[in-house]
Amino acid sequence: MSVTELRTEGRIAVITVDNPPVNALSHAVRAGLMDCLRDIGSDNNIDAAVLTCAGRTFIAGADIREFGKPPQQPFLPDVVLALDGFGKPLVAALHGTALGGGLEVAMGCHYRLAAGSAMVGLPEVNLGLLPGAGGTQLLPRLVGAEAALEMMLSGKPIPAQPARLAGIVDKVVVDDNLLVRAIAFANEVAKKPIPRSSERQMPPVNTALFEQRREQVAARSHGLFAPGKIIDCVEQAVSADLVSGMAFERAAFLACHASSQSAGLRHAFLAERSAVKVPNLAAATPVRDVKQIVVIGAGTMGAGIAYSCLTAGFGVRLLDKDADGIGRGEKTVRGLFEGGVARGKLSQDKADAMLAQFATDTNLANVADADLVIEAVFENMAVKKEVFANLGKHCRAGAILATNTSTLDVDAIAAASGRAEDVIGLHFFSPAHIMRLVEIVRGRSTADDVLATSAAFAKRLRKLGVVVGNCYGFVGNRMLYAYGRENQLMLLEGAPPEHIDHVLQDWGMAMGPNAVGDLAGIDVGYKARKERDDLPDDPRFYQVANLLVEQGRLGRKTGRGTFLYEDGSRTPKADPEVQQLINDEAARLGIEQRVVPDDEIIDRCIYGLVTEGARILEDGIAARAADIDVIWMNGYGFPRYRGGPMHYADSVGLDKVHARVCEFRDRFGAQYWEPPQLLTDLANSSATFADFVK
Ligand code: T1G
């Protein structure tokens, strides 16, 4: 099947790109477009042409999957220049999302018509790139430098009407006849002079704009350099002709493309799309019908989950045996809707319609009509078992019973229900109405259709549902133990908490481990540890955290934890009392204090993640290393431009990672630093975690 088709309607040629799923500009598409231009140019019976796409969208960009491969002519910039210089009028008909190279191709054409629902944008910056096929030169010529910079630095698409007002789109077609209108438009302009984007003069610009944007970007982009390159290219467009401007742009694009930042961001993009594909599940697996959801537990998590389900169009009943708890939960849900309306996220009418689907009850047996029950009660096995025993009795046959536990044994909870095949883990991350990640924990007995339904449910909530196996902490929290352990040990060894946090945040983590602990509440981990009987026999293990909790220093919620939070401030401040507590405990344990080098802080915390991630792959708890990356980028603030812990280790080189882990084993002992066999095997065979398939 050809990915480009050429036909004529009277004296108008119609080029149709048909390259599912998003008409990405693969090599075949680029070559096909050039062939079509050649045929149209040599046909005297054709006066003008329309470029359209089959399927759900106009071209959504260059083919991201081709980036790692050797580039093939024709390169996209050459295609765009050929369009711009073409001798007959070219009309692009845009529907869906004309993004990246797709919008560049459209700007190479001489006119752009858009369906009313179309969106246009240059999101390359999200991939650590810049528009590399003329976008940084053509867009400023259409909309001016300032608006062009805003679109390219934000990476956000804009709707058709604002795009018309800005000068990107010539006409918006509000009925469903985009192609018919485009062909009629082509007939109208067939004999008119051709308005080439390359010949448009740049609107005047205050050159101070570029320095202003450089300062903004430096403050906000955490060391990413694609934004600065975009500014350089637009600045070049002010004075350069199109060809030399595009040569400048090409060099800048190649520099971005070669960067580890872009490799990480492109990995993140593809990993998030592969992670939601359930491994070892037949595509034809049926999905159970879910309309009515019951959430049990009206705390912060339960209310956030209820809100997420309501905004996705489900009916929701929130249960809690405590009347005060229900009152608080209902208040939280209503407050979230009020906030959404206030921020313009949804209309009052929509909020009212969703809230009409919301109910509460203190009767935990009121579950008979539930298609899906999500338990979000206190993180205690006995409490959860009681809830699931009750659900096993009162839920209808076929109802799915999900636990939101963040660490506990899903199989044990499932057994308590008496219907383990209907039980699954849905580990939402807090705050549940904001965090995209859900770990879908597949129990030993979980039925395939329960798994398929859960994956579809996560998609309905517009969340990233990643299927993981059942073990303590599943993937994310199991790895968090190793990351936190090293933080705790380094505190005792002499690294101040504020320094550890600064070093890791500077490295790219959204928050340092000590600030995260204060945010979540240090008592949460403390209580979880008290429930375990498999902790390492090591008096240093989370000892600082234990002492803080035992002194009532629980974190932000008590105004002090590892750090101080004065007068309700959210800004952590170093606390000399805590440092003294650490020093005293280190002395008691006979730990010699030292200056812990910054690279050691980073490597012990990050390779702590990597080694535990390797064990998770060995145990089959995660199907792909990329799934682990998705979990840590979306649940724990791991920097996207580093691609997640496993991709980062691959980018460093597993031989180097393995050598560093062996050094830590030799210095700190094999209890925590014996290299996982998988890491040793991959390092010895010059392979990567990306190569690993269980
Ligand atoms: N290349 C290859 N595959 C792509 C793709 C792309 N650009 N965009 C999407 N896909 C695949 C995706 O992997 C998934 O595949 C399927 O399409 C559906 O995607 C030179 C250098 C278009 C808004 O950054 O934002 O042009 O998993 O699940 O939620 O200047 O995809 O089904 O096998 O996301 O409806 C610039 C990226 C590229 C746009 C649709 N363009 N795509 O969202 O579906 S760089 C982008 C998106 C560039 C030039 C530069 C979204 C979407 P599979 P999906 P969706």
Side-chain angles (χ1 to χ4, degrees):
M1 177 199 78
S2 168
V3 293
T4 53
E5 179 215 70
L6 179 59
R7 71 178 204 279
T8 55
E9 297 278 341
R11 297 184 63 80
I12 304 299
V14 179
I15 306 169
T16 303
V17 173
D18 187 6
N19 183 29
V22 297
N23 291 310
L25 282 156
S26 62
H27 169 248
V29 171
R30 301 194 303 273
L33 287 173
M34 295 300 271
D35 293 346
C36 290
L37 291 181
R38 182 198 58 227
D39 297 347
I40 293 167
S42 60
D43 186 336
N44 296 327
N45 296 315
I46 291 176
D47 295 337
V50 170
L51 172 60
T52 184
C53 289
R56 61 183 180 153
T57 180
F58 190 80
I59 299 164
D63 189 334
I64 296 172
R65 297 177 199 279
E66 281 190 356
F67 281 145
K69 299 170 188 160
Q72 285 179 286
Q73 303 263 15
F75 299 137
L76 191 54
D78 300 329
V79 175
V80 171
L81 283 171
L83 292 164
D84 180 75
F86 194 61
K88 300 179 181 177
L90 296 173
V91 179
L94 313 181
H95 71 291
T97 50
L99 300 175
L103 181 57
E104 290 174 303
V105 162
M107 292 192 290
C109 294
H110 308 126
Y111 300 93
R112 286 153 296 282
L113 269 62
S117 56
M119 302 282 285
V120 299
L122 294 175
E124 288 87 341
V125 72
N126 299 329
L127 298 172
L129 298 171
L130 53 82
T136 66
Q137 308 299 304
L138 294 171
L139 187 61
R141 285 172 164 79
L142 293 177
V143 305
E146 187 157 10
L149 277 174
E150 179 49 35
M151 269 185 78
M152 288 186 275
L153 292 174
S154 71
K156 289 195 174 66
I158 63 173
Q161 284 296 0
R164 184 183 62 76
L165 295 172
I168 299 171
V169 164
D170 299 282
K171 192 169 183 177
V172 175
V173 176
V174 292
D175 59 26
D176 290 340
N177 301 312
L178 175 64
L179 184 54
V180 169
R181 302 281 186 232
I183 292 168
F185 186 90
N187 274 306
E188 287 168 23
V189 300
K191 302 294 184 193
K192 290 184 179 174
I194 295 174
R196 303 178 200 286
S197 304
S198 59
E199 291 169 359
R200 288 173 188 255
Q201 287 309 312
M202 279 277 283
V205 61
N206 171 2
T207 51
L209 163 75
F210 301 110
E211 275 324 300
Q212 287 161 9
R213 292 312 295 255
R214 283 193 179 92
E215 283 161 19
Q216 284 172 6
V217 155
R220 268 187 277 170
S221 65
H222 303 297
L224 288 176
F225 63 77
K229 294 284 185 185
I230 289 171
I231 297 170
D232 294 348
C233 289
V234 175
E235 191 169 37
Q236 190 72 12
V238 173
S239 54
D241 62 73
L242 182 63
V243 172
S244 52
M246 283 181 68
F248 182 92
E249 174 194 79
R250 182 78 181 157
F253 170 80
L254 293 175
C256 291
H257 180 261
S259 71
S260 63
Q261 291 181 0
S262 182
L265 288 165
R266 297 195 313 264
H267 169 75
F269 176 88
L270 294 174
E272 287 170 349
R273 283 151 182 84
S274 68
V276 297
K277 293 183 175 72
V278 182
N280 311 319
L281 185 71
T285 304
V287 168
R288 294 186 191 178
D289 191 26
V290 175
K291 289 190 179 63
Q292 179 63 38
I293 293 173
V294 167
V295 177
I296 300 184
T300 309
M301 284 304 284
I305 294 168
Y307 175 78
S308 297
C309 296
L310 286 164
T311 54
F314 293 99
V316 176
R317 187 184 309 119
L318 182 61
L319 301 187
D320 195 303
K321 61 186 177 186
D322 172 35
D324 291 343
I326 270 291
R328 284 191 299 274
E330 179 167 2
K331 187 162 176 272
T332 302
V333 171
R334 294 185 181 281
L336 290 172
F337 274 105
E338 284 156 19
V341 170
R343 283 194 307 279
K345 290 273 185 202
L346 75 166
S347 67
Q348 188 61 58
D349 289 350
K350 268 200 174 167
D352 295 343
M354 289 169 177
L355 280 167
Q357 299 297 314
F358 178 48
T360 62
D361 197 339
T362 55
N363 170 15
L364 295 192
N366 183 2
V367 294
D369 63 338
D371 302 317
L372 167 64
V373 179
I374 303 173
E375 165 271 315
V377 300
F378 181 61
E379 190 71 357
N380 170 282
M381 183 56 90
V383 173
K384 291 186 186 298
K385 283 184 174 178
E386 185 186 346
V387 167
F388 274 76
N390 176 52
L391 294 176
K393 282 196 205 99
H394 298 290
C395 286
R396 68 169 180 73
I400 293 173
L401 314 181
T403 171
N404 173 56
T405 182
S406 57
T407 55
L408 300 178
D409 183 347
V410 171
D411 289 334
I413 294 169
S417 73
R419 42 196 281 190
E421 67 283 359
D422 291 332
V423 177
I424 195 160
L426 289 179
H427 174 211
F428 289 83
F429 281 70
S430 180
H433 63 288
I434 291 174
M435 298 291 275
R436 289 183 63 206
L437 182 65
V438 177
E439 282 182 318
I440 300 175
V441 188
R442 185 175 199 167
R444 189 182 312 116
S445 310
T446 300
D448 282 357
D449 66 337
V450 170
L451 187 62
T453 307
S454 302
F457 171 68
K459 208 167 259 182
R460 233 341 255 276
L461 265 59
R462 300 182 64 76
K463 289 192 178 285
L464 281 169
V466 184
V467 174
V468 298
N470 180 40
C471 68
Y472 190 86
F474 317 129
V475 170
N477 283 344
R478 174 169 160 179
M479 291 167 68
L480 182 63
Y481 251 95
Y483 178 78
R485 175 198 74 217
E486 290 308 305
N487 167 55
Q488 291 283 314
L489 292 174
M490 288 188 282
L491 291 174
L492 291 168
E493 292 169 32
E498 63 275 10
H499 185 61
I500 292 176
D501 279 24
H502 169 73
V503 166
L504 286 166
Q505 266 184 261
D506 196 44
W507 184 81
M509 296 300 293
M511 282 175 83
N514 296 293
V516 169
D518 279 352
L519 175 64
I522 310 174
D523 54 322
V524 172
Y526 179 85
K527 287 172 191 158
R529 288 191 298 277
K530 289 296 176 199
E531 296 248 327
R532 294 185 69 173
D533 56 11
D534 61 344
L535 295 181
D537 176 18
D538 177 351
R540 307 168 300 161
F541 189 80
Y542 282 84
Q543 179 57 2
V544 171
N546 294 339
L547 290 173
L548 290 171
V549 171
E550 286 153 14
Q551 291 190 13
R553 307 180 70 111
L554 309 187
R556 269 196 206 172
K557 59 190 172 185
T558 55
R560 57 187 198 148
T562 304
F563 300 116
L564 273 178
Y565 299 88
E566 288 168 342
D567 309 325
S569 160
R570 291 181 168 194
T571 308
K573 283 183 71 178
D575 183 346
E577 278 184 30
V578 169
Q579 192 57 61
Q580 190 56 54
L581 173 152
I582 293 169
N583 297 345
D584 294 348
E585 187 61 13
R588 188 185 72 81
L589 292 169
I591 298 170
E592 194 180 326
Q593 301 275 288
R594 66 186 173 99
V595 174
V596 182
D598 291 359
D599 65 332
E600 183 181 324
I601 292 173
I602 292 164
D603 288 351
R604 283 175 64 176
C605 286
I606 302 304
Y607 292 169
L609 290 179
V610 172
T611 50
E612 199 57 42
R615 291 191 185 93
I616 282 170
L617 289 171
E618 287 174 333
D619 297 348
I621 297 296
R624 298 165 283 240
D627 293 0
I628 296 173
D629 291 332
V630 169
I631 287 168
W632 263 79
M633 287 187 285
N634 288 282
Y636 299 84
F638 195 97
R640 280 181 76 82
Y641 67 84
R642 295 191 189 274
M646 312 314 277
H647 175 86
Y648 170 70
D650 284 346
S651 69
V652 169
L654 294 190
D655 54 339
K656 296 186 181 70
V657 174
H658 183 260
R660 186 69 156 156
V661 170
C662 291
E663 178 203 324
F664 290 158
R665 174 200 57 203
D666 299 343
R667 286 174 59 195
F668 306 118
Q671 182 179 20
Y672 301 135
W673 288 107
E674 187 59 42
Q677 191 57 47
L678 175 62
L679 174 60
T680 302
D681 294 348
L682 292 174
N684 292 342
S685 53
S686 306
T688 62
F689 285 119
D691 299 324
F692 174 75
V693 179
K694 180 82 178 164

